[in-house]
Amino acid sequence: MLLVVAAGLLAYSNSFTGPFIFDDLDSILGNPTIRGLWPIWLPLSPPHKESITVAGRPMTNLSLAINYSLGGTDVRGYHAGNLVIHLLAGLTLFGIMRRSFLQPRLPGQFGAWALPLALATTVIWVVHPLQTEAVTYIVQRAESIVGLFYLLTLYCAIRGAESPQPGIWYVLSVASCAMGMASKEVMASAPLVVLLYDRTLISQSFEEAFRRRWRLYASLSATWVLLGYLMVSGSIIYSSNASIGRYSDSMSVTWWEYLLTQPAVILHYLKLTVWPRTLCLDYGWPPAKTWTSIVPALLVIAVLLGATCRAIKKNSVLGFLGAWFFLILAPSSSFFPLRELAFEHRMYLPLAAIVVLVITVGSRILVSLARRIGARESDVSGIAYALVSVIVLTLGCLTARRNEDYRTTISIWSDTARKEPRNPRAFNNLGTELDREGRVQEAIACFEQAVQLQPGWARAHNNLGNVLLGAGRPQEAIGQYEEVLRLQPDWVETRNNMGTALLRDGRVHEAMAQWQQTLRLNPDYAEGHNNLAITLAQTGNLEDAILHWQQAVRIKPDFLEAHFNLGIALEQTSKIKEAITQYEETVRLNPDFAQAKENLARLRAAK
């Protein structure tokens, strides 16, 4: 157990300072339900938005709330929490594997090697770089936490089957299953996997398993009701089609397109288990459209599924491993269309089946070769330990290297854009981060690449327009905003920005028309009132400008710029008392606002 923990700590020792990225922003920084632990139903009621990772997953949300209560938004605490969850899952897997290799239904040679085989399997699983997305990418603890509860459900069921007083173990198994259902939908297959494990390694048949433990399986199955309720309340019901890409405005996929694409995705996952050098945060995997991109992978997966079904029928351990792999992947890698076709964290638990298969088959091959050449058992052990040590060291180094990609938002999106140069979202997100760092020309190049890859993507055009406007190129920004409004005429923020660009280009009346249209679309848009007021004031219409600034501060009481502008306008119309009030509010909102303090002091002195 200490070796498992030590291996995990070493592999992830450089992961603690990686910033919040991607879905972290909405699920952690923009999630008000994690701001307190009491009343308890607050963190157990995550936002009901399909685009938020924690939607319909109260246990995942609660874990984030615990992190927030301990350290606010200090990213190190969240990374530490992710690693603790991962190590606990690893220790649970170690317990499952040790007890599984000791099962009398397995050949005796496995029982003799139960401890080293369990240790090798677990350490490789813990340090494998394919796990980094579920560990280093903070909000994807949804995958690791459901993995922990999934493993605990099986472990407690195994302990109960071996115990003369199984009641407490079965209660713990059902409780773990319920908490897993409240963590992520992957848990749906847990009752089936527990039953299949029972039939394969403990009982002689399904009939015997049901007869001896029907209460356990009835209770485990009852947790599906909880999962169904959470999926409905969290607005994450699977539909017949889904929009592909978090920011995409035009791409969509039907359930059958999703299904036909998944064989190639699953084969890619399998490739990453043996060659994890091309790990990518966001594949932007396109739906398969041609038979040449569908049939080869489909045939391979069909063969693997057929072999799994045949092995299950023969009550083979290989059947259980195949079922573990496919059943856990089923909610995200079958015909349920999700917002993403491929994500590496979905392999968190299925990877265990691959590692077990490789370790057990490898050990049997090694023993068989040793017997043929007449080698001693100690020599075989030494070779096995050396091979496993080399594998663990190599995978651990690759994991540490992958963690470096998560070191900054720019580094992770640069890595994504380099590995997936056809993914417009990677360039859009990289451009956003470069712009935030003041690297304007690089940001412009990224946004231009994004709109070139997906010309109909309104958000990318809008982002390009914003950075061009900030770079003092209003005419070019106007062109981008026009394209956005052609695609989405009711986008209020873009109309507001279009007004700013027109004003900077000297087209005052056109700018006013944009802001008036903005306020028709959203009368409570404070920024629109402020911008229209500025233009009205520049054209000499101070009375109407004051009305719009008053609207702006009424809608948004902490709108610093609007308070200051309103104070100037009131002063210019000789409404000194009201102007003083606005300057006082400005200084209250920002005590370091020198111009507001100067204006306030001057008016007070004159009064």
Side-chain angles (χ1 to χ4, degrees), residues 7 35 63 171 220 245 261 269 275 324 356 369 376 404 428 451 473 510 514 533 540 544 547 558 569 599 602:
R35 299 294 186 262
S63 74
V171 168
L220 290 174
T261 304
Y269 292 157
W275 187 249
W324 174 280
V356 171
L369 289 175
R376 293 176 301 177
E404 286 297 312
N428 178 74
V451 299
R473 296 157 63 177
E510 292 177 70
Q514 287 296 329
D544 285 347
L547 292 176
D558 61 348
N599 291 359
R602 176 170 46 78

Side-chain angles (χ1 to χ4, degrees), residues 448-465:
E448 287 175 340
Q449 182 68 13
V451 299
Q452 181 179 342
L453 289 167
Q454 191 172 334
W457 190 5
R459 185 169 294 278
H461 283 287
N462 183 71
N463 289 344
L464 178 56

Side-chain angles (χ1 to χ4, degrees), residues 322-495:
W324 174 280
F325 181 84
F326 285 112
L327 285 174
I328 293 174
L329 275 179
S332 61
S333 301
S334 57
F335 56 85
F336 302 112
L338 303 179
R339 296 181 67 84
E340 301 299 335
L341 283 159
F343 254 141
E344 290 162 4
H345 61 256
R346 294 171 184 169
M347 276 293 289
Y348 185 75
L349 277 180
L351 177 63
I354 307 301
V355 177
V356 171
L357 181 63
V358 170
I359 290 296
T360 53
V361 172
S363 66
R364 297 195 71 170
I365 292 174
L366 189 61
V367 169
S368 177
L369 289 175
R371 286 175 178 172
R372 286 187 180 183
I373 63 175
R376 293 176 301 177
E377 184 175 332
S378 59
D379 294 333
V380 175
S381 301
I383 294 172
Y385 287 134
L387 285 173
V388 170
S389 298
V390 169
I391 293 171
V392 169
L393 182 61
T394 302
L395 293 175
C397 290
L398 289 175
T399 293
R401 176 63 188 86
R402 179 58 176 164
N403 288 331
E404 286 297 312
D405 293 331
Y406 285 90
R407 183 169 45 85
T408 67
T409 51
I410 289 179
S411 64
I412 189 62
W413 286 117
S414 295
D415 175 80
T416 304
R418 178 175 58 83
K419 291 175 178 174
E420 291 294 335
R422 294 176 298 175
N423 182 359
R425 184 168 57 183
F427 287 97
N428 178 74
N429 290 349
L430 177 57
T432 300
E433 298 304 327
L434 290 168
D435 183 39
R436 189 173 290 131
E437 293 291 322
R439 297 160 63 175
V440 175
Q441 295 307 315
E442 294 172 83
I444 290 174
C446 286
F447 289 131
E448 287 175 340
Q449 182 68 13
V451 299
Q452 181 179 342
L453 289 167
Q454 191 172 334
W457 190 5
R459 185 169 294 278
H461 283 287
N462 183 71
N463 289 344
L464 178 56
N466 290 345
V467 73
L468 288 168
L469 181 60
R473 296 157 63 177
Q475 291 183 347
E476 295 173 74
I478 289 169
Q480 297 301 320
Y481 292 142
E482 287 174 341
E483 181 63 16
V484 175
L485 295 177
R486 184 186 69 80
L487 295 166
Q488 294 188 11
D490 295 340
W491 196 339
V492 171
E493 290 80 4
T494 299
R495 285 202 176 274

Side-chain angles (χ1 to χ4, degrees), residues 544-599:
D544 285 347
I546 287 172
L547 292 176
H548 282 285
W549 273 316
Q550 289 173 335
Q551 278 286 84
V553 299
R554 180 189 62 79
I555 296 166
K556 191 176 178 181
D558 61 348
F559 198 164
L560 180 72
E561 181 185 352
H563 280 292
F564 181 67
N565 291 338
L566 178 55
I568 293 174
L570 290 168
E571 181 182 353
Q572 290 174 346
T573 55
S574 300
K575 299 175 181 177
I576 305 303
K577 184 177 179 181
E578 293 91 333
I580 289 174
T581 300
Q582 293 305 317
Y583 288 141
E584 286 175 340
E585 183 63 16
T586 303
V587 173
R588 186 189 69 80
L589 291 170
N590 183 5
D592 297 327
F593 198 150
Q595 187 61 55
K597 292 169 72 174
E598 181 181 333
N599 291 359

